[in-house]
Amino acid sequence: MAIALLFTKALNKPTRQDLAPIRAKQTYRLDGVKDIFHRLEIRTVKGRRGQRECFSINDERHFIPRGIYFIKHIQEPWTHCFSKSQKKLYFFNKQKTISTYDCPKDSIASFKTSLMSRYLWPWEDIDVELEHGTRLERNRLLDFIHSTHCQLMGQ
């Protein structure tokens, strides 16, 4: 992510008004997804009727979100686990049954792996009608993440 930020900074030319600005999208850990919802604000948007829910980048800039991508950042056979005794995250290799607190280089998913295994939660006014007829709502997602996180932390 740091390399993507440097790349976009190098490409952006604030003095050239004829060029579209380029930005790297911010990433969040799943247990920090509530921070995304805290940055949503109702705003009047130019060219749209009424107000829309917008994601605030800063006080001056915002955009209308179309959804959230969930991206895999650890590749098989590695997984991320939580140690109840040490109270911190560690990496576990399911094939070799080894674990480490330091991020192994071969555990990092490639861009192609992340791109091919991503999942889009598309938003239509935040509530989403899924194929099998149930509704996925922000509160249900946050409750699920919170309860799963609490179980992992032993709380």
Side-chain angles (χ1 to χ4, degrees), residues 82-138:
F82 183 78
S83 169
K84 291 180 182 178
S85 62
Q86 298 295 313
K87 303 237 184 284
K88 61 183 185 178
L89 294 170
Y90 67 94
F91 294 86
F92 179 73
N93 186 315
K94 295 182 273 187
Q95 287 179 346
K96 298 178 183 175
T97 64
I98 57 171
S99 61
T100 178
Y101 288 106
D102 299 320
C103 179
K105 286 186 179 183
D106 63 335
S107 72
I108 300 170
S110 67
F111 176 79
K112 182 179 179 181
T113 301
S114 295
L115 183 68
M116 299 304 288
S117 63
R118 68 186 175 179
Y119 176 76
L120 173 64
W121 173 23
W123 288 358
E124 296 168 11
D125 295 326
I126 304 304
D127 295 340
V128 179
E129 190 73 34
L130 297 177
E131 292 174 10
H132 49 80
T134 62
R135 291 188 78 72
L136 178 60
E137 298 170 348
R138 117 176 50 174

Side-chain angles (χ1 to χ4, degrees), residues 139-151:
N139 290 338
R140 289 179 60 193
L141 177 66
L142 291 175
D143 289 346
F144 171 77
I145 293 168
H146 178 72
S147 66
T148 305
H149 184 70
C150 287
Q151 286 174 358

Side-chain angles (χ1 to χ4, degrees), residues 1 23 34 39 62 64 86 99 133 152:
M1 194 63 202
R23 64 179 174 84
K34 67 179 177 285
R39 292 179 63 183
H62 61 276
I64 299 171
Q86 298 295 313
S99 61
L152 288 173

